[in-house]
Amino acid sequence: MADGVNRFLGDSIGRTIIKLIVVCLIVGFVLAFFGYTPNNIVGSLRYHFYDILHNGFDALGDIGNYLVLGAIVVIPVFVVLRLISYRR
């Protein structure tokens, strides 16, 4: 099983953990240099997630409005056309 884990990670577990810690420290330093904090990043992701959900449901509401608006015109025309063709 250890061979499968090592193959998945690309190296031994210990070396992979050390590499990840070093990369996390470097990326954290760069992000801190530009003024990012964990709260900024998590808050921004949460805001964008909620914004996508909100706009997505608004789009679904718009689709429902379009459906009803089109049905107001299409259904009566369909019924009239069916009645005309039924008489023939």
Side-chain angles (χ1 to χ4, degrees):
M1 184 166 151
D3 289 336
V5 172
N6 287 347
R7 195 170 354 137
F8 174 74
L9 295 175
D11 208 348
S12 69
I13 295 173
R15 288 176 56 102
T16 302
I17 290 173
I18 290 172
K19 288 177 187 179
L20 287 173
I21 289 172
V22 169
V23 170
C24 287
L25 283 172
I26 293 169
V27 170
F29 175 76
V30 171
L31 289 174
F33 179 77
F34 288 112
Y36 290 103
T37 63
N39 288 335
N40 290 348
I41 293 173
V42 171
S44 177
L45 289 174
R46 186 172 11 148
Y47 169 76
H48 289 300
F49 178 74
Y50 287 135
D51 190 43
I52 288 170
L53 284 178
H54 180 70
N55 289 335
F57 287 126
D58 280 348
L60 291 177
D62 289 343
I63 290 172
N65 289 337
Y66 298 149
L67 180 67
V68 171
L69 183 63
I72 290 172
V73 174
V74 171
I75 300 299
V77 170
F78 174 77
V79 170
V80 168
L81 290 174
R82 294 300 290 174
L83 287 173
I84 291 172
S85 68
Y86 178 72
R87 288 185 179 175
R88 292 183 185 182

